[in-house]
Amino acid sequence: MTEAVTVTRDGDIAIVTLDNPPVNALSLHLRKPLHEALMALRDDEAVRGLVLACAGRTFVSGADITEFGTPKALERPSLPDLIAALESFSKPTVAAIHGTALGGGLELAMGCHFRVADAGARFGLPEVKLGLLPGAGGTQRLPRLIGPMQALTLIVSGNPIGSGDALAAGLVEAVHDEALLANAVAFARAKADKGAALVPVSRREDKLAEAKNDLGGFDAAVAALLKKKRGLDAPARCAQSVRNGLVMPFEEALATERQYFVELVQGEQSRAQRHLFFAEREAAKVDGVGKDVAPRAVKRVGVIGAGTMGGGIAMSFLNGGVPVTILEVNREALDRGIATIAKNYDISVKRGSLTEGARDKRLGLLTGTTDYADLAECDLIIEAVFEEMAIKKEVFAKIEAVARPGTVLASNTSYLDIDEIAASTGRPQDVVGLHFFSPANIMRLLEIVRGGKTAPDVLATALSLARRIGKVPVVVGVCHGFVGNRMLAARSAELEDLLLEGAAPQQVDKVFTDFGWPMGPFAMGDLAGLDIGWRNRKALGKTAAIADALCEQGRFGQKTGKGFYVYEAGSRTPTPDTEVDTLITEKAGERGIERRDIAGDEITERTLYPMINEGAKILQEGIAARASDIDIVWVNGYGFPIGKGGPMYWAESEGLAKIVERLEFWHARTGKEVFKPAALLKEAAASGISLAALRKGKAA
Ligand code: 3HC
Ligand code: NAI
């Protein structure tokens, strides 16, 4: 093992190099020698300046998250101790930044007098994404360097910025295309030679003045930023802490920041968000797909069908810089599909989130065709045509006729059997499900459906491509609806009956939004369009008393101004409708159902508990490899509140024994299959072992 901290000299400039793979996190075994080195160098008269640099692929990317909640996190020297040591230097200190300077890493760099970076470096305070705030002075020093308004946006969003923006904002003093370390040393030496007074960042006040004089403006910016962060504690704490810096002396604001950090790190939300951080990384580790399995090269992607999903999937690849050939049944459908893609990019340009140059570059990567022969050059071909097995098989036969050997053949099917599709081809090993979520260019989740014969390097290809286009991949097995839609069906099974038995759509939706979902199921149905489900039901010979009746009246949801709710012209705000109440009462009457008051708990028990139960069945069957994979699916694909860590994580905190007991109650009362507790759930509840641990035991 290499030393975590080494000190070398370039003449009279000391270079302190941190080396704690993989991301140079500030673990205790690094903090200790770093503190010692800093104290020694500070008092070493032969040293006229200091450069802080990192070995490996990145600068320090934060505190060591695995230490949170353990004694190591509390052991000194702490990160604030290190920063205080740096700020006590009376000779120039320079951070030389490559890779990412994130969280505690950026805070450490802000403890230096100066920062120089290489052109590809990125800077951010992403703590909010872990349910935290920067706890080592980040909310105090960043505003002093780049101004409180810009700092507020960075801290509340948690999103990083690049070197160019960092230089413009004043976060770094210089950016170099090459020879970062040599340039950093030269920078330190020049500052030492100049002998000008050195002011630690914590003592700089000039950038605070404007916001101090306009607290009203600052508060308005806070309110706008927090609008979308409903239900989460950390963003509000981040904003409050930046504000404290405007109204309190530095030391007081710093101590308050630390206190907020300690509160948040012990809280449920941060625990849940940290669970999701590691769960996301865990999901990328797939049985049988080790590091030795090389992905196939993908230089061009083919997409078949330029409808809702095909268009969005194409955009996902174009956004990631991957050329796309898109195929449609005829010229008219193709032109329509391509026009929609162009229109979506135009909207982004209008909103200012995309430059015209970037739009043109992306559209320049897109080719349209109606001829399968034009797909011959593609390394991956994804079909997104109508959801019908016969059509899918026909399309796969046409793909197979033109695709080179080794081309990955994928289906975006939501429900259909990937093994059946694969078996219809002569190369089942190349077939995989790539289930994108709508809108595909926005939603981060990608369910990668592993067929019985899917080759490991096809999975490796899907995983690496997902990363390349910024998706969160989860590998799942074959079953009707895979992980997400299968659990969604279980969550939805009781919705109509709840209405018939006495609940109102707005009451059910409120239980969901109070829980933290962005929307309740009825408002969601209105948004997506009730006619889609209606058409599906008709095709399958199924019915839904209330939704069918609404559709028969032309109430398709937002698009017709009426659905489960009514919408004022041009508004997306759902207003409860007495006509719907009457309809529900009528339908209940026809069925001889006596309506009663339904409590919020009952709504939870009859929607979320069956969903957990289905998740346990999915685990039991090995459709998902881990409970945490299911959490990643739900958080990234269906808006499960991140502060609750995903359904399976939440279930543990709700209490598995309680869930089983209530499921058994409803099963006895209704006889419905959705309530019949899964064997794995019962086993976990009885043994007190978590679902995650139990499942791991099974897999081993
Ligand atoms: N602590 C501990 N482990 C970490 C870590 C951290 N801060 N950051 C990453 N890791 C681990 C990952 O779990 C992963 O482990 P694994 O290989 O065993 O799965 C490994 O490092 C590599 O991580 P990635 O797969 O994410 O690698 P990438 O190259 O894709 O991304 C990264 C690198 C951008 C640095 C990304 O890992 C990241 O965003 N890390 C978290 C950054 C962060 O949130 N920092 C703030 C921490 S909180 C803090 O600093 C509090 C302070 O204010 C007091
Ligand atoms: P869509 O109806 O919007 O688009 C389908 C497109 O495929 C149409 O443009 C049609 O012209 C084209 N098409 C039909 N047959 C074709 C053929 N033989 N060759 C070439 N093109 C053909 O449908 P949507 O919503 O995009 O769905 C496509 C697939 O994606 C389905 O399998 C669906 O289950 C799945 N899916 C849909 C989601 C959604 O929310 N809409 C989410 C995830 C998956």
Side-chain angles (χ1 to χ4, degrees):
M1 212 173 105
T2 50
E3 293 290 323
V5 176
T6 42
V7 179
T8 52
R9 299 282 171 99
D10 183 324
D12 48 10
I13 304 297
I15 303 167
V16 177
T17 305
L18 313 184
D19 190 4
N20 186 23
V23 298
N24 288 316
L26 294 161
S27 320
L28 181 62
H29 69 262
L30 180 144
R31 296 198 304 271
K32 274 186 177 161
L34 177 56
H35 195 259
E36 277 166 25
L38 290 178
M39 296 325 273
L41 292 169
R42 184 188 67 175
D43 300 332
D44 184 341
E45 284 177 7
V47 171
R48 293 174 61 231
L50 173 129
V51 169
L52 187 64
C54 283
R57 59 174 159 153
T58 178
F59 191 75
V60 176
S61 295
D64 184 340
I65 307 170
T66 62
E67 284 186 357
F68 291 173
T70 74
K72 278 187 178 169
L74 303 176
E75 223 177 295
R76 297 184 76 164
S78 64
L79 174 55
D81 290 337
L82 294 174
I83 295 169
L86 279 168
E87 283 209 333
S88 70
F89 270 61
S90 55
K91 42 200 164 198
T93 53
V94 180
I97 299 168
H98 75 291
T100 47
L102 298 177
L106 182 56
E107 290 175 304
L108 185 72
M110 292 191 293
C112 294
H113 297 115
F114 308 103
R115 284 141 298 281
V116 300
D118 81 7
R122 296 181 71 71
F123 310 80
L125 292 173
E127 285 88 341
V128 71
K129 295 187 179 180
L130 299 170
L132 299 169
L133 87 166
T139 66
Q140 302 310 308
R141 289 189 182 85
L142 190 62
R144 283 173 161 79
L145 281 169
I146 68 171
M149 287 297 209
Q150 211 176 337
L152 179 73
T153 310
L154 262 171
I155 295 170
V156 173
S157 75
N159 295 332
I161 55 172
S163 295
D165 289 338
L167 184 66
L171 180 55
V172 301
E173 275 70 23
V175 174
H176 298 282
D177 288 328
E178 52 190 16
L180 174 66
L181 193 60
N183 279 304
V185 169
F187 189 97
R189 185 165 291 126
K191 289 291 174 191
D193 288 347
K194 206 167 170 201
L198 295 163
V199 186
V201 175
S202 60
R203 301 294 144 206
R204 300 182 201 170
E205 296 285 328
D206 51 315
K207 293 223 170 148
L208 302 184
E210 199 180 322
K212 274 185 175 177
N213 291 328
D214 181 19
L215 278 177
F218 182 85
D219 289 342
V222 169
L225 279 172
L226 294 185
K227 236 189 200 161
K228 282 199 168 165
K229 308 279 181 181
R230 228 169 20 96
L232 292 173
D233 300 333
R237 279 310 202 197
C238 286
Q240 181 62 44
S241 191
V242 175
R243 192 182 196 280
N244 290 345
L246 302 174
V247 297
M248 291 177 184
F250 177 81
E251 273 70 23
E252 189 185 344
L254 191 70
T256 311
E257 179 200 79
R258 195 72 193 161
Q259 182 197 325
Y260 291 168
F261 181 85
V262 171
E263 281 165 21
L264 288 174
V265 84
Q266 291 167 353
E268 276 306 316
Q269 291 187 353
S270 176
R271 250 184 252 267
Q273 287 178 254
R274 270 142 47 204
H275 157 72
L276 289 171
F277 176 85
F278 290 112
E280 189 176 319
R281 278 145 189 88
E282 199 63 17
K285 294 166 194 158
V286 178
D287 217 20
V289 190
K291 287 209 165 83
D292 53 322
V293 181
R296 300 181 186 175
V298 175
K299 298 206 178 90
R300 174 171 288 275
V301 171
V303 176
I304 303 185
T308 311
M309 292 307 291
I313 293 169
M315 287 177 76
S316 298
F317 286 103
L318 299 175
N319 298 350
V322 184
V324 173
T325 304
I326 193 161
L327 179 143
E328 257 294 350
V329 273
N330 55 43
R331 196 77 229 172
E332 198 191 337
L334 180 65
D335 289 345
R336 201 173 41 236
I338 291 180
T340 305
I341 293 175
K343 194 183 85 195
N344 286 336
Y345 281 136
D346 285 342
I347 293 172
S348 302
V349 170
K350 254 192 210 130
R351 283 196 190 135
S353 56
L354 190 72
T355 63
E356 285 187 16
R359 173 197 58 196
D360 296 346
K361 199 167 157 204
R362 289 176 195 190
L363 284 172
L365 293 173
L366 180 65
T367 315
T369 186
T370 54
D371 183 356
Y372 274 83
D374 290 336
L375 299 178
E377 294 306 306
C378 296
D379 309 294
L380 160 70
I381 302 174
I382 308 172
E383 71 73 20
V385 303
F386 301 139
E387 182 77 345
E388 261 184 56
M389 185 54 95
I391 303 184
K392 303 267 190 211
K393 284 186 183 169
E394 206 182 293
V395 166
F396 266 80
K398 287 184 184 159
I399 301 175
E400 204 180 355
V402 295
R404 284 190 303 233
T407 300
V408 177
L409 313 182
S411 171
N412 181 51
T413 178
S414 315
Y415 294 95
L416 300 175
D417 184 344
I418 291 292
D419 285 330
E420 191 179 334
I421 296 175
S424 78
T425 73
R427 31 175 131 167
Q429 73 282 1
D430 295 336
V431 176
V432 67
L434 289 183
H435 185 208
F436 288 79
F437 287 70
S438 181
N441 53 315
I442 310 272
M443 297 299 288
R444 293 185 72 216
L445 178 63
L446 179 65
E447 275 185 338
I448 299 176
V449 188
R450 177 183 208 159
K453 296 200 171 148
T454 307
D457 66 341
V458 166
L459 291 172
T461 309
L463 286 160
S464 88
L465 256 184
R467 252 180 111 99
R468 200 163 138 201
I469 62 172
K471 300 290 178 201
V472 179
V474 179
V475 175
V476 302
V478 177
C479 66
H480 187 73
F482 316 120
V483 169
N485 283 343
R486 178 169 158 184
M487 286 172 72
L488 181 66
R491 195 193 81 172
S492 313
E494 285 289 281
L495 290 173
E496 283 257 334
D497 283 356
L498 280 165
L499 297 188
L500 291 169
E501 289 170 36
Q506 59 272 21
Q507 185 198 355
V508 175
D509 280 354
K510 186 165 184 310
V511 169
F512 274 72
T513 49
D514 285 352
F515 184 84
W517 299 87
M519 245 184 209
F522 294 110
M524 191 64 209
D526 276 1
L527 174 68
L530 301 178
D531 51 322
I532 300 174
W534 187 40
R535 252 187 285 126
N536 280 340
R537 282 193 297 279
K538 278 204 232 173
L540 298 170
K542 291 188 173 169
T543 56
I546 298 158
D548 287 356
L550 289 172
C551 289
E552 276 152 22
Q553 295 173 14
R555 300 182 67 129
F556 292 167
Q558 284 192 20
K559 59 177 132 179
T560 56
K562 284 179 179 180
F564 279 103
Y565 295 92
V566 65
Y567 300 84
E568 305 265 321
S571 163
R572 289 174 168 269
T573 311
T575 310
D577 187 354
T578 49
E579 279 180 29
V580 174
D581 297 339
T582 310
L583 175 80
I584 295 172
T585 315
E586 225 175 81
K587 292 289 167 195
E590 283 169 16
R591 284 161 178 72
I593 299 170
E594 206 164 311
R595 300 187 81 229
R596 58 187 168 86
D597 281 344
I598 296 209
D601 282 353
E602 179 174 337
I603 294 171
T604 303
E605 289 174 9
R606 292 175 64 181
T607 54
L608 298 192
Y609 287 10
M611 171 185 167
I612 302 301
N613 197 29
E614 200 64 36
K617 289 178 192 167
I618 281 169
L619 264 182
Q620 195 173 298
E621 294 164 23
I623 297 294
R626 322 165 181 89
S628 62
D629 284 4
I630 298 177
D631 293 333
I632 292 302
V633 165
W634 272 83
V635 163
N636 293 288
Y638 299 84
F640 192 98
I642 52 172
K644 289 196 162 63
M648 306 319 276
Y649 180 89
W650 171 75
E652 308 275 358
S653 63
E654 180 80 348
L656 300 184
K658 176 182 163 194
I659 293 176
V660 168
E661 188 225 307
R662 296 311 293 164
L663 283 169
E664 277 172 341
F665 170 85
W666 289 108
H667 187 236
R669 191 157 153 173
T670 66
K672 291 180 189 164
E673 192 63 23
V674 281
F675 292 124
K676 192 175 169 199
L680 187 74
L681 193 62
K682 278 168 78 170
E683 200 182 329
S687 64
I689 300 172
S690 74
L691 277 171
L694 206 59
R695 171 66 199 148
K696 229 182 229 164
K698 291 224 164 214

